[in-house]
Amino acid sequence: MAGAFGITLLCSWLFFTCIVQAQTGPIDVTQLGAKPDGSADMSQVLADAWKQTCSSTTASTILIPKGTFLLKEASLVGPCKAPVEIQIQGTIKAPEDPAQISKDKEWMSIMYVDQLTLSGGGTLDGQGAKAWTQNECRVKTECSKLPNTLSLNFVNNTVIRDLTSLNSKLFHVNLFGCNNITFQHFTITAPGDSPNTDGIHIGHSTGVVITDSNIGTGDDCISIGDGAKQVNISKVTCGPGHGISVGSLGRYDNELPVEGIFVTDCTISGTLNGVRVKSWPAAKSGSATNMHFEGIIMQNVSNPVIIDQEYCPNNQCTNTAPSSVKIAQVSFKNITGTSATPAVVTLLCSKSIPCDGVEIADIDLAYNGNQGNVSSNCANVKPTLSGKLNPPICANATIPAQAA
């Protein structure tokens, strides 16, 4: 009996140990049936793995190992009972045809989750080339929206690191209603002519950090929409693309204020714009305040420094009234390098609500082209100037008497 009892205890102890290991070790999607062959859809497998990890009362991990996995679409919804990590070591591919993704759905969406980590060194491949030919939103106001690669909605206290987003159909990453999100060592890659492929779009979110990342795409490397607050962008390399932008703002009713945007120690190369604040010419109100761009290196960038309150791409404007978005407390400091256009600083503020509290300091931008002399263009703003300014900035700037 003693021997049998001892064996039972040993077996029980071993069994308990196995159970603990099963609960605390990563859930490998290939063990649940996913095939790294690039053709078998892993949507249901990922949903099952998410259900298991999200219901765990201890921190847990989903592992997508090396290999190529096809994913038709994924909707991962919390709240979860404990922190969750998704380690993507392989490549996850979207369907080439956007029609295979449910209408009004994103390719990968994560909602209502706290303490999430996305990591692993792998790639999210949106396979966007076919979809780009179907994108009419850049020229039409009424159009069918393509799916974003990764949408985070109401996600908090989350880290996305050591991942690549490749060839998204629309935005690579879209944030809405999020708090305390960090991107680190994040790579975004798409051709410079891929339409509306914003790198990271931030809307209605607070406490977003983007650092030590490389973004090259067909639209804004980073776009900051209404309701974004306390956004810190540093050590980002941007290009190709349309630069790092606040806006566009003032296109829709009831937009929330933008506050606290800090862009520092970044390099922007070969883009259509550098650092930009843009709003539509319309009577819809809004505000963007406390925005600071400092320590930026420009390499052959068109429009390196720009405030554009007459933003109207593809002549889509139906209202020619001046912008009603208030822009205030903005600084551009220590910005150096080369411009692809003669106008290296352009500050076109609203006639009805001129920009206020704009600071320009230590600008040294050279233009080596043959389209005219290096210059600045300023309207409805009188910035505070200091330090070295090459070229001279806003020498003849005025504010309309009725707005002063």
PDB file of all heavy atoms in Angstrom, residues 317-340:
ATOM      1  N   CYS A 317     -13.631  69.851 -51.645  1.00  0.00           N
ATOM      2  CA  CYS A 317     -14.280  70.804 -50.742  1.00  0.00           C
ATOM      3  C   CYS A 317     -15.610  71.289 -51.313  1.00  0.00           C
ATOM      4  O   CYS A 317     -15.698  71.660 -52.486  1.00  0.00           O
ATOM      5  CB  CYS A 317     -13.376  72.001 -50.499  1.00  0.00           C
ATOM      6  SG  CYS A 317     -11.798  71.556 -49.773  1.00  0.00           S
ATOM      7  N   THR A 318     -16.619  71.314 -50.471  1.00  0.00           N
ATOM      8  CA  THR A 318     -17.923  71.857 -50.852  1.00  0.00           C
ATOM      9  C   THR A 318     -18.183  73.185 -50.146  1.00  0.00           C
ATOM     10  O   THR A 318     -19.143  73.869 -50.451  1.00  0.00           O
ATOM     11  CB  THR A 318     -19.048  70.876 -50.482  1.00  0.00           C
ATOM     12  OG1 THR A 318     -18.993  70.601 -49.076  1.00  0.00           O
ATOM     13  CG2 THR A 318     -18.884  69.570 -51.248  1.00  0.00           C
ATOM     14  N   ASN A 319     -17.321  73.549 -49.211  1.00  0.00           N
ATOM     15  CA  ASN A 319     -17.475  74.785 -48.454  1.00  0.00           C
ATOM     16  C   ASN A 319     -16.170  75.555 -48.539  1.00  0.00           C
ATOM     17  O   ASN A 319     -15.122  75.067 -48.133  1.00  0.00           O
ATOM     18  CB  ASN A 319     -17.819  74.459 -46.991  1.00  0.00           C
ATOM     19  CG  ASN A 319     -18.228  75.706 -46.219  1.00  0.00           C
ATOM     20  OD1 ASN A 319     -17.837  76.817 -46.551  1.00  0.00           O
ATOM     21  ND2 ASN A 319     -19.026  75.494 -45.179  1.00  0.00           N
ATOM     22  N   THR A 320     -16.223  76.736 -49.088  1.00  0.00           N
ATOM     23  CA  THR A 320     -15.008  77.526 -49.268  1.00  0.00           C
ATOM     24  C   THR A 320     -14.776  78.518 -48.132  1.00  0.00           C
ATOM     25  O   THR A 320     -13.878  79.350 -48.215  1.00  0.00           O
ATOM     26  CB  THR A 320     -15.067  78.288 -50.598  1.00  0.00           C
ATOM     27  OG1 THR A 320     -16.234  79.128 -50.611  1.00  0.00           O
ATOM     28  CG2 THR A 320     -15.116  77.323 -51.774  1.00  0.00           C
ATOM     29  N   ALA A 321     -15.579  78.454 -47.074  1.00  0.00           N
ATOM     30  CA  ALA A 321     -15.374  79.333 -45.929  1.00  0.00           C
ATOM     31  C   ALA A 321     -14.032  79.012 -45.269  1.00  0.00           C
ATOM     32  O   ALA A 321     -13.548  77.882 -45.328  1.00  0.00           O
ATOM     33  CB  ALA A 321     -16.505  79.145 -44.930  1.00  0.00           C
ATOM     34  N   PRO A 322     -13.419  79.993 -44.608  1.00  0.00           N
ATOM     35  CA  PRO A 322     -12.148  79.718 -43.925  1.00  0.00           C
ATOM     36  C   PRO A 322     -12.305  78.650 -42.852  1.00  0.00           C
ATOM     37  O   PRO A 322     -13.385  78.466 -42.282  1.00  0.00           O
ATOM     38  CB  PRO A 322     -11.786  81.074 -43.299  1.00  0.00           C
ATOM     39  CG  PRO A 322     -12.562  82.087 -44.081  1.00  0.00           C
ATOM     40  CD  PRO A 322     -13.823  81.402 -44.491  1.00  0.00           C
ATOM     41  N   SER A 323     -11.231  77.970 -42.573  1.00  0.00           N
ATOM     42  CA  SER A 323     -11.265  76.925 -41.555  1.00  0.00           C
ATOM     43  C   SER A 323     -11.656  77.505 -40.200  1.00  0.00           C
ATOM     44  O   SER A 323     -11.233  78.601 -39.826  1.00  0.00           O
ATOM     45  CB  SER A 323      -9.891  76.265 -41.449  1.00  0.00           C
ATOM     46  OG  SER A 323      -9.869  75.343 -40.383  1.00  0.00           O
ATOM     47  N   SER A 324     -12.475  76.766 -39.463  1.00  0.00           N
ATOM     48  CA  SER A 324     -12.871  77.167 -38.110  1.00  0.00           C
ATOM     49  C   SER A 324     -12.136  76.370 -37.044  1.00  0.00           C
ATOM     50  O   SER A 324     -12.558  76.320 -35.891  1.00  0.00           O
ATOM     51  CB  SER A 324     -14.387  76.977 -37.938  1.00  0.00           C
ATOM     52  OG  SER A 324     -15.094  77.860 -38.773  1.00  0.00           O
ATOM     53  N   VAL A 325     -11.043  75.733 -37.427  1.00  0.00           N
ATOM     54  CA  VAL A 325     -10.211  75.007 -36.470  1.00  0.00           C
ATOM     55  C   VAL A 325      -9.170  75.959 -35.894  1.00  0.00           C
ATOM     56  O   VAL A 325      -8.411  76.590 -36.640  1.00  0.00           O
ATOM     57  CB  VAL A 325      -9.521  73.810 -37.147  1.00  0.00           C
ATOM     58  CG1 VAL A 325      -8.560  73.127 -36.182  1.00  0.00           C
ATOM     59  CG2 VAL A 325     -10.562  72.818 -37.650  1.00  0.00           C
ATOM     60  N   LYS A 326      -9.132  76.081 -34.578  1.00  0.00           N
ATOM     61  CA  LYS A 326      -8.177  76.954 -33.905  1.00  0.00           C
ATOM     62  C   LYS A 326      -6.866  76.210 -33.682  1.00  0.00           C
ATOM     63  O   LYS A 326      -6.834  75.151 -33.045  1.00  0.00           O
ATOM     64  CB  LYS A 326      -8.734  77.410 -32.553  1.00  0.00           C
ATOM     65  CG  LYS A 326      -7.771  78.256 -31.733  1.00  0.00           C
ATOM     66  CD  LYS A 326      -7.470  79.583 -32.423  1.00  0.00           C
ATOM     67  CE  LYS A 326      -6.587  80.480 -31.578  1.00  0.00           C
ATOM     68  NZ  LYS A 326      -6.285  81.760 -32.257  1.00  0.00           N
ATOM     69  N   ILE A 327      -5.778  76.767 -34.217  1.00  0.00           N
ATOM     70  CA  ILE A 327      -4.448  76.196 -34.028  1.00  0.00           C
ATOM     71  C   ILE A 327      -3.641  77.143 -33.151  1.00  0.00           C
ATOM     72  O   ILE A 327      -3.511  78.339 -33.469  1.00  0.00           O
ATOM     73  CB  ILE A 327      -3.754  75.973 -35.379  1.00  0.00           C
ATOM     74  CG1 ILE A 327      -4.504  74.906 -36.176  1.00  0.00           C
ATOM     75  CG2 ILE A 327      -2.293  75.585 -35.195  1.00  0.00           C
ATOM     76  CD1 ILE A 327      -3.967  74.667 -37.564  1.00  0.00           C
ATOM     77  N   ALA A 328      -3.108  76.627 -32.051  1.00  0.00           N
ATOM     78  CA  ALA A 328      -2.408  77.490 -31.097  1.00  0.00           C
ATOM     79  C   ALA A 328      -1.321  76.716 -30.356  1.00  0.00           C
ATOM     80  O   ALA A 328      -1.375  75.491 -30.251  1.00  0.00           O
ATOM     81  CB  ALA A 328      -3.400  78.081 -30.094  1.00  0.00           C
ATOM     82  N   GLN A 329      -0.346  77.474 -29.849  1.00  0.00           N
ATOM     83  CA  GLN A 329       0.779  76.922 -29.090  1.00  0.00           C
ATOM     84  C   GLN A 329       1.475  75.805 -29.881  1.00  0.00           C
ATOM     85  O   GLN A 329       1.485  74.636 -29.494  1.00  0.00           O
ATOM     86  CB  GLN A 329       0.335  76.393 -27.715  1.00  0.00           C
ATOM     87  CG  GLN A 329       0.031  77.479 -26.696  1.00  0.00           C
ATOM     88  CD  GLN A 329      -1.306  78.148 -26.923  1.00  0.00           C
ATOM     89  OE1 GLN A 329      -2.335  77.465 -26.971  1.00  0.00           O
ATOM     90  NE2 GLN A 329      -1.320  79.464 -27.096  1.00  0.00           N
ATOM     91  N   VAL A 330       2.054  76.213 -31.005  1.00  0.00           N
ATOM     92  CA  VAL A 330       2.762  75.291 -31.885  1.00  0.00           C
ATOM     93  C   VAL A 330       4.209  75.752 -32.009  1.00  0.00           C
ATOM     94  O   VAL A 330       4.460  76.948 -32.199  1.00  0.00           O
ATOM     95  CB  VAL A 330       2.141  75.248 -33.291  1.00  0.00           C
ATOM     96  CG1 VAL A 330       2.784  74.150 -34.126  1.00  0.00           C
ATOM     97  CG2 VAL A 330       0.641  75.062 -33.223  1.00  0.00           C
ATOM     98  N   SER A 331       5.159  74.834 -31.905  1.00  0.00           N
ATOM     99  CA  SER A 331       6.559  75.210 -32.091  1.00  0.00           C
ATOM    100  C   SER A 331       7.242  74.276 -33.081  1.00  0.00           C
ATOM    101  O   SER A 331       6.986  73.074 -33.093  1.00  0.00           O
ATOM    102  CB  SER A 331       7.309  75.205 -30.755  1.00  0.00           C
ATOM    103  OG  SER A 331       7.410  73.903 -30.222  1.00  0.00           O
ATOM    104  N   PHE A 332       8.096  74.874 -33.905  1.00  0.00           N
ATOM    105  CA  PHE A 332       8.968  74.152 -34.823  1.00  0.00           C
ATOM    106  C   PHE A 332      10.395  74.586 -34.502  1.00  0.00           C
ATOM    107  O   PHE A 332      10.764  75.736 -34.764  1.00  0.00           O
ATOM    108  CB  PHE A 332       8.625  74.481 -36.278  1.00  0.00           C
ATOM    109  CG  PHE A 332       7.208  74.177 -36.676  1.00  0.00           C
ATOM    110  CD1 PHE A 332       6.228  75.163 -36.641  1.00  0.00           C
ATOM    111  CD2 PHE A 332       6.845  72.903 -37.110  1.00  0.00           C
ATOM    112  CE1 PHE A 332       4.924  74.895 -37.013  1.00  0.00           C
ATOM    113  CE2 PHE A 332       5.532  72.624 -37.490  1.00  0.00           C
ATOM    114  CZ  PHE A 332       4.574  73.615 -37.437  1.00  0.00           C
ATOM    115  N   LYS A 333      11.210  73.681 -33.938  1.00  0.00           N
ATOM    116  CA  LYS A 333      12.537  74.060 -33.479  1.00  0.00           C
ATOM    117  C   LYS A 333      13.592  73.043 -33.925  1.00  0.00           C
ATOM    118  O   LYS A 333      13.325  71.844 -33.960  1.00  0.00           O
ATOM    119  CB  LYS A 333      12.562  74.165 -31.950  1.00  0.00           C
ATOM    120  CG  LYS A 333      11.637  75.224 -31.373  1.00  0.00           C
ATOM    121  CD  LYS A 333      11.732  75.279 -29.856  1.00  0.00           C
ATOM    122  CE  LYS A 333      10.842  76.360 -29.269  1.00  0.00           C
ATOM    123  NZ  LYS A 333      10.942  76.416 -27.784  1.00  0.00           N
ATOM    124  N   ASN A 334      14.769  73.574 -34.268  1.00  0.00           N
ATOM    125  CA  ASN A 334      15.915  72.736 -34.612  1.00  0.00           C
ATOM    126  C   ASN A 334      15.558  71.741 -35.719  1.00  0.00           C
ATOM    127  O   ASN A 334      15.655  70.530 -35.565  1.00  0.00           O
ATOM    128  CB  ASN A 334      16.447  72.004 -33.375  1.00  0.00           C
ATOM    129  CG  ASN A 334      17.765  71.288 -33.646  1.00  0.00           C
ATOM    130  OD1 ASN A 334      18.493  71.648 -34.570  1.00  0.00           O
ATOM    131  ND2 ASN A 334      18.055  70.264 -32.865  1.00  0.00           N
ATOM    132  N   ILE A 335      15.152  72.284 -36.844  1.00  0.00           N
ATOM    133  CA  ILE A 335      14.801  71.475 -38.012  1.00  0.00           C
ATOM    134  C   ILE A 335      15.814  71.776 -39.107  1.00  0.00           C
ATOM    135  O   ILE A 335      15.950  72.927 -39.542  1.00  0.00           O
ATOM    136  CB  ILE A 335      13.365  71.767 -38.467  1.00  0.00           C
ATOM    137  CG1 ILE A 335      12.375  71.401 -37.333  1.00  0.00           C
ATOM    138  CG2 ILE A 335      13.026  70.997 -39.737  1.00  0.00           C
ATOM    139  CD1 ILE A 335      10.928  71.708 -37.634  1.00  0.00           C
ATOM    140  N   THR A 336      16.535  70.750 -39.544  1.00  0.00           N
ATOM    141  CA  THR A 336      17.652  70.944 -40.458  1.00  0.00           C
ATOM    142  C   THR A 336      17.579  69.953 -41.614  1.00  0.00           C
ATOM    143  O   THR A 336      16.844  68.971 -41.562  1.00  0.00           O
ATOM    144  CB  THR A 336      18.994  70.752 -39.733  1.00  0.00           C
ATOM    145  OG1 THR A 336      19.063  69.410 -39.221  1.00  0.00           O
ATOM    146  CG2 THR A 336      19.135  71.727 -38.565  1.00  0.00           C
ATOM    147  N   GLY A 337      18.374  70.239 -42.670  1.00  0.00           N
ATOM    148  CA  GLY A 337      18.464  69.295 -43.776  1.00  0.00           C
ATOM    149  C   GLY A 337      18.174  69.946 -45.110  1.00  0.00           C
ATOM    150  O   GLY A 337      18.490  71.122 -45.334  1.00  0.00           O
ATOM    151  N   THR A 338      17.536  69.179 -45.992  1.00  0.00           N
ATOM    152  CA  THR A 338      17.310  69.644 -47.361  1.00  0.00           C
ATOM    153  C   THR A 338      15.847  69.528 -47.748  1.00  0.00           C
ATOM    154  O   THR A 338      15.135  68.620 -47.322  1.00  0.00           O
ATOM    155  CB  THR A 338      18.158  68.833 -48.357  1.00  0.00           C
ATOM    156  OG1 THR A 338      17.846  67.441 -48.235  1.00  0.00           O
ATOM    157  CG2 THR A 338      19.644  69.056 -48.116  1.00  0.00           C
ATOM    158  N   SER A 339      15.436  70.470 -48.597  1.00  0.00           N
ATOM    159  CA  SER A 339      14.056  70.524 -49.074  1.00  0.00           C
ATOM    160  C   SER A 339      14.019  70.227 -50.567  1.00  0.00           C
ATOM    161  O   SER A 339      14.916  70.610 -51.319  1.00  0.00           O
ATOM    162  CB  SER A 339      13.461  71.911 -48.811  1.00  0.00           C
ATOM    163  OG  SER A 339      12.186  72.036 -49.407  1.00  0.00           O
ATOM    164  N   ALA A 340      12.961  69.552 -51.011  1.00  0.00           N
ATOM    165  CA  ALA A 340      12.755  69.310 -52.433  1.00  0.00           C
ATOM    166  C   ALA A 340      11.936  70.402 -53.091  1.00  0.00           C
ATOM    167  O   ALA A 340      11.701  70.365 -54.298  1.00  0.00           O
ATOM    168  CB  ALA A 340      12.075  67.956 -52.629  1.00  0.00           C
TER     169      ALA A 340
END
